[in-house]
């Protein structure tokens, strides 16, 4: 079962994250100063919370580090605006929990997507939560203890400054095996970086495929 929504743009994003040059932005500016936080709770077949804080650490930081960042791809894929919110939580130097939210610019109004709209590729956002994600150092293959995709949900971009993005969300997510979780109380307040400022980052080997393979 494959999702068509933004597959080409997500693929380009994955390639970009692997090849981008070093970080230059500092995450402050118009629109207020970002808090560098992302968080939500989830319940269902699994229960827990995903809470990460900390600014983009730059290309020289250690791999086992927590951070969250927004990447601005406005104009990068042609007409229209496109954002990615990336959260990395280090379980150990080799294991991570990763949350990825990608969106067309939805504006300030709340966007609601039911399951039919998500599956048909008509939703303006997509999300993936990978828990216990590891990478084979020899092959680069990725495996996760649990891999949840967007089933339905709602989100709102509440703040858009030149160097800051903030918003809220709640989702139902599911695995390909049929397990489901309900994500509630989701919010983010992150630095907004240009893709040229994104750089090589801790956990980079785990992030790109999380974005590139949002389709099932």
């Amino acid at each position: 079962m494959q999702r068509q929504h933004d597959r080409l743009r997500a693929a380009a994003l994955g390639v970009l994250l692997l090849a981008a040059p070093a970080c230059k932005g500092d995450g402050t500016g118009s629109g207020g100063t970002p808090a560098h936080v992302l968080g939500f709770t989830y319940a269902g077949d699994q229960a827990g919370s995903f809470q990460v804080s900390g600014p983009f650490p730059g290309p020289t930081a250690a791999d086992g580090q927590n951070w969250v960042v927004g990447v601005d791809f406005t104009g990068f894929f042609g007409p229209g605006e496109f954002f990615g919110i990336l959260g990395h939580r280090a379980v150990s130097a080799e294991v991570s929990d990763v949350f990825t939210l990608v969106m067309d610019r939805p504006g300030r109004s709340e966007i609601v997507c039911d399951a039919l709209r998500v599956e048909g590729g008509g939703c303006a956002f997509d999300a993936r939560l990978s828990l216990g994600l590891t990478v084979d150092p020899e092959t680069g293959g990725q495996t996760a203890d649990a891999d949840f995709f967007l089933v339905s949900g709602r989100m709102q971009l509440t703040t858009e400054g030149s160097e800051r993005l903030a918003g809220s969300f709640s989702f139902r997510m599911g695995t390909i095996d049929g397990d489901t979780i309900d994500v509630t109380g989701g919010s983010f307040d992150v630095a907004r970086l240009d893709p040229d400022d994104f750089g090589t980052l801790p956990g980079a080997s785990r992030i790109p495929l999380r974005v590139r393979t949002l389709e099932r």
Side-chain angles (χ1 to χ4, degrees), residues 83 103-111 124-125 155-157:
F83 302 141
M103 71 191 91
D104 295 318
R105 183 187 180 199
R108 298 298 175 85
S109 60
E110 184 178 55
I111 303 297
F125 58 87
M155 72 151 294
Q156 185 172 7
L157 187 66

Side-chain angles (χ1 to χ4, degrees), residues 73-127:
F73 293 99
T74 299
F76 186 81
F77 300 109
E81 296 175 283
F82 184 67
F83 302 141
I85 308 299
L86 308 176
H88 177 270
R89 179 171 66 182
V91 178
S92 69
E94 293 78 27
V95 182
S96 297
D97 296 333
V98 173
F99 177 74
T100 307
L101 171 62
V102 292
M103 71 191 91
D104 295 318
R105 183 187 180 199
R108 298 298 175 85
S109 60
E110 184 178 55
I111 303 297
V112 179
C113 289
D114 60 21
L116 183 63
R117 188 176 178 189
V118 171
E119 191 58 43
C123 187
F125 58 87
D126 207 343

Side-chain angles (χ1 to χ4, degrees), residues 166-180:
S168 60
F169 58 88
S170 60
F171 301 143
R172 171 158 286 191
M173 305 184 79
T175 69
I176 60 174
D177 296 323
D179 290 343
T180 61

Side-chain angles (χ1 to χ4, degrees), residues 36-38 52-56 66-70 85-88 189-190:
H36 307 291
V37 294
L38 164 70
V52 291
S53 61
F56 175 73
N66 298 339
W67 52 265
V68 60
V69 71
I85 308 299
L86 308 176
H88 177 270
D189 186 343
V190 301

Side-chain angles (χ1 to χ4, degrees), residues 117-195:
R117 188 176 178 189
V118 171
E119 191 58 43
C123 187
F125 58 87
D126 207 343
R128 185 171 187 167
L129 172 63
S130 299
L131 301 175
L133 187 65
T134 60
V135 179
D136 187 309
E138 295 185 358
T139 66
Q142 300 188 12
T143 59
D145 294 337
D147 216 358
F148 293 92
F149 299 87
L150 180 69
V151 174
S152 61
R154 59 185 67 214
M155 72 151 294
Q156 185 172 7
L157 187 66
T158 55
T159 300
E160 181 189 348
S162 63
E163 297 181 1
R164 179 190 179 204
L165 296 170
S168 60
F169 58 88
S170 60
F171 301 143
R172 171 158 286 191
M173 305 184 79
T175 69
I176 60 174
D177 296 323
D179 290 343
T180 61
I181 57 173
D182 290 313
V183 171
T184 57
S187 64
F188 58 89
D189 186 343
V190 301
R192 172 177 173 172
L193 298 183
D194 185 272

